[in-house]
Amino acid sequence: MGFLKEFKEFAMRGSVIDLAVGVVIGGAFGKIVTSLVDDIIMPPIGYLTGGVDFGGLKYVMKEANEAAGTTEVSISYGNFLNVIIQFLIIAFCIFLAIKGLNSLKRKEVAAPEVAPAPSNEEVLLAEIRDLLKSK
């Protein structure tokens, strides 16, 4: 029974739940970025490069032969380029989000601090100084 109780405490800890929510949101965000790259960013880039579809770029190592029943062997580097662009967009968005969170934390730290109370020695020295000034 101790093992199940320990697992329940671990699973219900806030950081684990936050991580699960982050993974789900990250998956959905990944789909949004994929659509952004495939449907919005890459078509104009393809147009500017003369109608090149990056998703279809590949290096054919062996042509398909229907008579022999073999399929094409190729390296699809165009899809790899799309994934790199998606990664850069996601990394940039995460950078902006973390930068925003860090700026909020700096504002919290910048709140005015209460000056520490003077020590007994400082109080006594101030009294002596004031007595000497009054003479």
Side-chain angles (χ1 to χ4, degrees), residues 7-135:
F7 177 74
K8 181 181 175 186
E9 288 175 6
F10 169 77
M12 295 315 239
R13 191 176 309 157
S15 60
V16 174
I17 294 172
D18 292 342
L19 178 63
V21 170
V23 168
V24 171
I25 290 175
F29 184 69
K31 290 180 183 179
I32 291 170
V33 171
T34 299
S35 176
L36 174 71
V37 170
D38 292 343
D39 301 331
I40 296 174
I41 294 175
M42 294 312 287
I45 292 174
Y47 176 75
L48 292 173
T49 59
V52 175
D53 177 19
F54 283 92
L57 293 177
K58 59 185 173 182
Y59 173 74
V60 179
M61 296 169 41
K62 180 182 173 189
E63 294 285 338
N65 188 349
E66 292 181 23
T70 60
T71 58
E72 178 181 79
V73 178
S74 64
I75 298 174
S76 300
Y77 64 90
N79 191 38
F80 182 69
L81 291 174
N82 282 345
V83 172
I84 288 174
I85 292 171
Q86 291 172 8
F87 170 78
L88 293 174
I89 291 171
I90 291 173
F92 183 69
C93 290
I94 290 172
F95 168 75
L96 291 178
I98 291 174
K99 184 173 175 137
L101 289 173
N102 286 341
S103 69
L104 292 176
K105 286 182 182 179
R106 282 189 214 123
K107 289 179 182 176
E108 291 174 5
V109 172
E113 296 180 11
V114 177
S119 66
N120 290 337
E121 188 175 272
E122 291 173 341
V123 171
L124 289 174
L125 288 172
E127 289 176 4
I128 292 170
R129 179 195 66 209
D130 293 342
L131 285 173
L132 290 173
K133 279 185 182 180
S134 65
K135 287 186 180 183

